[in-house]
Amino acid sequence: MKHPLSLTWELDSLFAGGSASSEFDEFLNTLAGDIERLHKDVQGAVIPQDVEATKPLDSVIELLQSCSGRLVLAAEFAVCLGAQNQQDKGAVKLSGKVAGLSARFQGIRSEFDNVLRQTGDDVWDQWMIRPEIADLSFVLNESRNLAREKMSPELESLALELAVDGYHGWSEHYETIVSSIAIPFEDNVLSVGQAFNKLDDPDPKVREVMFHKWEEAWSGAADFCSDALNHLGGFRLKLYKGRGWENVLKEPLSINRMSNETLNVMWEVIGNSKPALVSYLERKAKLLGMESLGWADVGAPIGKSSGKVPYDQAAVDIVTQFRKFSPKMAEFAEHAFNNNWIEVEDRPGKRPGGFCVSFPERKESRIFMTYSGTPSSVSTLAHELGHAYHSFLLDDQPVFNQNYAMNVAETASTFAEVIVADAQVKAAGSTEEKLALLEAKIQNSVAFFMNIHARFLFETRFYEKRKIGLVHAEELSALMVEAQKEAYCDVLSDYHPHFWASKLHFYATEVPFYNFPYTVGYMFSTGLYRLALQEGASFADKYDDLLRDTGVMTLEALVTKHLGTDLTQPDFWQGAADLILADIAEFMEMTKEFA
C-alpha cells in the first residue's frame, strides 16, 4: 500500500473538470439522446403473443440496462460533487439535470413494465427461460408484478415527472437548508459535518456545549425542515393512495425484498434483548459519574483507547483484518486506498456523514466521510469499504442484477465493520483499552436496537398523522421524543427533540423508511459473523456467493439457499442477538466493581 495516502478522493478519472466538466456534459447529452431512442423503441414494442415475438424486445432490454447503468454513474458523480463542497452551485444544477433524465427514464421503464404486465402467463413463462433472458428473470418478474400493483403507465410517468420539482425538489431543498447552517464553537464556525463529530467528544463539557448548540441550530431551521418533511410525506401518501396502497411499509418492504413477517420477528427478538442494553446504559452512567445518561452521553467513550489512529495506520489495520477473513477482500481494500477512491479530509464545506457510491459502468466506487481518528471513525471507514466490496463482487453481473436492496447493502458494510471492531477488541494492549473498544462495539447495538428503532417508530407515527393533515414542527419534536423514550426504554435523562430535522435519512427520496434496513443489515451481518466464527476460513467463499445473489433474490430466499435458515422464525435473529448479548455480558463483568 502506498504512503502517505491521499486524504481526498480522485474524481477526474470519472469525468475531468468537476461540475464544469465538458466531458460530463457530453456524457449527459449522449445519455439523453439514448433515453429518447429508448422511448421510441418502447413505444413501438408489441405485446408478445408467442415466445418468438419476445426476441425483438432483447435489444430494448439491453438499452434499458445501458441507460440505467449510465444514470447511476451520472447521479452518483453529481452526489460526490455536492458532498465534497456544499457550496458548489454547479453540482446542484447537475443534480437537477440528472434528476430530470432519471424521471424521464423511469417513465419509459414504466411503459415497458406495462408490456411485461400485459404479456400472457404462458408466453411469459417461455420468455423467462430463454437463455438470453433467464439470468434477468428475477428482476423482470419483480417489475411485472409491481407494475400490476401501480397506476396506469401514463399516470406513473406523470407522477415521476412531477416528482422532479416536487418530491425530489423538497429533498434538495433540505440539502440547501443543511448547507446554510453554521454552528459557532469556541473561536470557530463549524459546518454541520464538523459539529456532528464533536457530539461524541471525550470531554463531557464539549459534548454538553455542542449538543446545546446543535439543538439550537436545528431549532432555528425547524420550520423549514418541517415544510420539507411534510411535503415529502404528503407526496408519498398521495402516490400510495393512487396506487391503492394502504400500508406505508408496502413500498419500503418491497424495495428491501423482505416480508413484514420477517421484520416483525426481528423487532421482537430485539425487544427481548433490550433489558441487557438498559443495564449496560445504566452501568455506563455510573462509569461516567452520572446519575443517568443524557442523549449526548450515549456515544461518549469509556476509558482510553490507544489514542487517535492516523489515517494511514487505520488503512493498514483494516487491510490486515480483512485479510484474516478473506484475501480477496483485503486486496480490494488496498486497491481502493491506492487509487484514491476515498475522501476523508476534515475541512469546512463538506456534507455531514459518510457514504459509498458505486459506478457499475466504470467498475469503481467512491467513499465519503470525515475521518477523525477515533475507533468509531475507523469502523466507519471499514463499513464503507464493505459496501464497495459488495459492489465489486457484482461487477460481472448484468446491470439489472446489480441492484441490491438496502438491507443486504447494510449487511455487507456492517459485516466488514464487525471484522475490524472484533479484531480491535481482541488486540487491545491493556484492560482499559479493551474496555474502551468493547464499549465502542456495544454502542453499535444501541444505535441499531434503540436509535434506529426510534426512527422507525417516529416515521411510522408521522405518516399516520400526516394522513390527517400537516404536522407542525412542535408536533414532530413531540413525536420524536415519544419514539426515543419508547425505543430507549426511557433510560435516558434527556432526549433529542429535533433529531427529525437533523437526520438526512428522513429526507431521502430514493429509499422510503431509510431506517429499519440498517437494523436488518446489522442483525443479518452479526448472524453471518457468528457463522464465520464457527466455520472458519471456508466461510469467505460462502459469504461472497451470498452477496453475489443479493440482486436476484428476496432476503428470505437468499438465506434459505445459502444458509438453510427460515428468517420468518426467530432462530437466526436470536443467534445474532446472542453474540451481541455476549459482548454486553463481558462488559458488565469487566465493570462489576461499579455495580
Side-chain angles (χ1 to χ4, degrees), residues 237-372:
L237 289 172
K238 288 292 185 184
L239 184 61
Y240 292 171
K241 184 178 180 181
R243 292 171 174 170
W245 298 355
E246 295 183 3
N247 184 356
V248 293
L249 287 176
K250 177 176 176 56
E251 185 178 31
L253 286 169
S254 176
I255 290 172
N256 282 280
R257 294 168 173 159
M258 65 180 292
S259 68
N260 202 32
E261 186 179 5
T262 294
L263 180 63
N264 289 337
V265 168
M266 183 199 72
W267 281 132
E268 183 179 345
V269 170
I270 287 173
N272 293 336
S273 304
K274 282 189 179 183
L277 279 174
V278 169
S279 297
Y280 150 76
L281 291 170
E282 290 172 340
R283 179 68 56 83
K284 181 172 182 174
K286 287 184 168 60
L287 293 170
L288 293 174
M290 301 175 175
E291 186 68 28
S292 60
L293 296 177
W295 181 271
D297 305 313
V298 173
I302 291 291
K304 295 180 180 178
S305 61
S306 52
K308 298 286 186 180
V309 181
Y311 177 59
D312 280 28
Q313 185 59 51
V316 171
D317 292 346
I318 288 171
V319 170
T320 299
Q321 299 310 324
F322 280 4
R323 183 165 282 112
K324 292 177 181 177
F325 171 69
S326 165
K328 184 188 291 186
M329 185 186 286
E331 288 167 11
F332 171 80
E334 279 191 311
H335 182 79
F337 283 117
N338 288 336
N339 286 275
N340 302 337
W341 286 5
I342 308 172
E343 160 67 56
V344 298
E345 188 176 42
D346 186 350
R347 66 173 185 273
K350 288 177 66 174
R351 202 190 93 169
F355 61 77
C356 172
V357 292
S358 294
F359 308 99
E361 283 282 308
R362 304 295 176 87
K363 300 187 186 303
E364 295 184 16
S365 293
R366 291 296 185 274
I367 289 167
F368 177 90
M369 63 178 293
T370 300
Y371 184 78
S372 63

